[in-house]
Amino acid sequence: MGIASTENQTITEFVLLGFNGIPELHLPFFVVLTVIYVSIIMGNTLILVAVISSQRLHTPMYFFLANLSLLELLYTSTVVPKMLEGFLQEAAISVAGCLLQFFIFGSLATAECFLLAVMAYDRYLAICYPLRYPLLMGPRWCLGLVLTAWLSGFLVDGLVVALTAQLKFCGPNRIDHFYCDFMPLVELACSDPSVAQMTTSILSAICLAVPFGLILMSYAQILMAVLRVPAGASRRKAFSTCSSHLVVVSTFYGTLMILYIEPPAVDSLILSKVCSLLYTVLTPMFNPVVYALRNKEVHRALRRLLYVRQTEAAD
């Protein structure tokens, strides 16, 4: 009777174990990740401020970049504070809070997949159809593409979370991860998760394959167009406008795709945590560096903004 009553008891909160296997590194991890998190907030906020404040940056490319920075600000802030708490004390989260974190983070990560595809499409039009580009990538079309990327993420992950919320959690409540992700959650379910697992696998495959396929197609067309241009300044400029985006895409999709490789059971949790850490913390820190430090227009906008504020302070 005692066992049966325990199995039928619905738990009210989860405990995120995070990196509990290496307690001696908790303090160094906390310090390093706090510095990285602050740099993510500052770097992406500076890009947002630069794009919003400078008329010269009111172009499709920078509009998409500003949305990418906003996405990364939001999804990093959804995960990192609770992860930092786990380095200092036991990080508990309610079942509803866990599902909400899973929904927000998953939606934003999915939206980023589609937004990176939109950015690749933008570069394709700019390089392959430069004369028609202002017409093809008008303000309404830009806004429509961005809204599609954002809504796709929330609709897809809304369905996944709705199915996950139907599961019963009545056994162990310790999640062996630093945030609420799908696989660690369903492993704790005491009801049949097969429908949720199958649906999530199909949707995840689509949300990875479709944007990545569009990115590959866009860059294949860009490469063919650039190779037809005589070697010189024009070719270097074309490659330069794409290189930042390619670095971001490679980092983001590379870590995501590794998660879909089935490693040995012993290493799967470790690999999952490391890859998750890469695309939740390091990639958002990497993006402002890649885009801002190599971009003269962003530099000028930030310098003008800093000069204006210094002038106002002096007055």
Side-chain angles (χ1 to χ4, degrees):
M1 289 295 291
I3 295 175
S5 62
T6 302
E7 289 178 349
N8 291 326
Q9 182 181 359
T10 302
I11 62 174
T12 58
E13 69 176 19
F14 294 111
V15 175
L16 298 170
L17 298 181
F19 297 92
N20 66 322
I22 46 173
E24 67 279 4
L25 294 179
H26 279 191
L27 186 58
F29 269 33
F30 176 82
V31 173
V32 171
L33 289 172
T34 298
V35 172
I36 291 175
Y37 181 52
V38 171
S39 70
I40 289 170
I41 299 297
M42 292 178 62
N44 284 289
T45 300
L46 282 174
I47 288 178
L48 279 170
V49 171
V51 172
I52 292 170
S53 63
S54 175
Q55 286 289 333
R56 293 173 63 90
L57 300 185
H58 290 181
T59 63
M61 183 177 76
Y62 293 106
F63 176 63
F64 298 139
L65 176 58
N67 274 272
L68 180 65
S69 292
L70 180 59
L71 269 172
E72 294 185 333
L73 274 173
L74 292 175
Y75 86 66
T76 304
S77 297
T78 303
V79 170
V80 173
K82 183 60 71 173
M83 178 175 63
L84 293 176
E85 179 188 338
F87 289 126
L88 301 178
Q89 61 183 16
E90 188 173 80
I93 185 170
S94 67
V95 173
C98 188
L99 290 172
L100 180 62
Q101 185 192 58
F102 172 43
F103 170 63
I104 295 174
F105 178 78
S107 299
L108 295 173
T110 303
E112 180 157 347
C113 289
F114 285 98
L115 184 59
L116 289 173
V118 168
M119 294 174 77
Y121 176 66
D122 171 67
R123 292 300 82 208
Y124 156 68
L125 291 180
I127 292 171
C128 297
Y129 301 96
L131 298 179
R132 297 173 58 196
Y133 176 72
L135 180 63
L136 294 172
M137 195 57 79
R140 288 186 179 180
W141 183 236
C142 288
L143 182 60
L145 288 172
V146 166
L147 287 176
T148 299
W150 282 82
L151 291 175
S152 297
F154 283 96
L155 288 173
V156 168
D157 284 87
L159 176 58
V160 173
V161 172
L163 291 172
T164 307
Q166 302 302 312
L167 301 176
K168 292 182 180 179
F169 300 96
C170 51
N173 70 332
R174 304 177 79 79
I175 297 177
D176 196 3
H177 215 311
F178 58 86
Y179 70 97
C180 293
D181 201 6
F182 180 74
M183 286 309 298
L185 268 176
V186 297
E187 286 175 1
L188 299 180
C190 52
S191 56
D192 183 13
S194 57
V195 174
Q197 286 177 317
M198 182 176 65
T199 305
T200 302
S201 296
I202 293 171
L203 291 175
S204 298
I206 292 171
C207 291
L208 276 174
V210 171
F212 191 63
L214 292 173
I215 290 170
L216 291 179
M217 289 171 59
S218 296
Y219 277 107
Q221 295 293 323
I222 289 171
L223 182 61
M224 288 190 290
V226 170
L227 291 178
R228 287 196 291 265
V229 177
S234 297
R235 181 181 287 189
R236 286 195 300 272
K237 183 179 179 181
F239 278 123
S240 176
T241 60
C242 298
S243 59
S244 298
H245 182 257
L246 276 172
V247 171
V248 171
V249 168
S250 301
T251 307
F252 184 76
Y253 272 97
T255 53
L256 279 179
M257 288 181 175
I258 289 173
L259 290 175
Y260 284 87
I261 298 173
E262 290 295 334
V266 175
D267 300 328
S268 60
L269 283 174
I270 298 172
L271 183 63
S272 175
K273 289 179 186 179
V274 170
C275 290
S276 297
L277 194 64
L278 285 174
Y279 76 80
T280 56
V281 177
L282 294 185
T283 304
M285 180 189 70
F286 194 41
N287 291 357
V289 174
V290 170
Y291 279 109
L293 292 185
R294 300 178 69 252
N295 193 297
K296 293 180 181 179
E297 291 293 336
V298 175
H299 284 181
R300 292 192 191 102
L302 290 174
R303 280 199 297 269
R304 282 195 297 269
L305 183 65
L306 184 61
Y307 174 76
V308 168
R309 293 202 171 182
Q310 287 177 340
T311 304
E312 290 175 350
D315 293 340

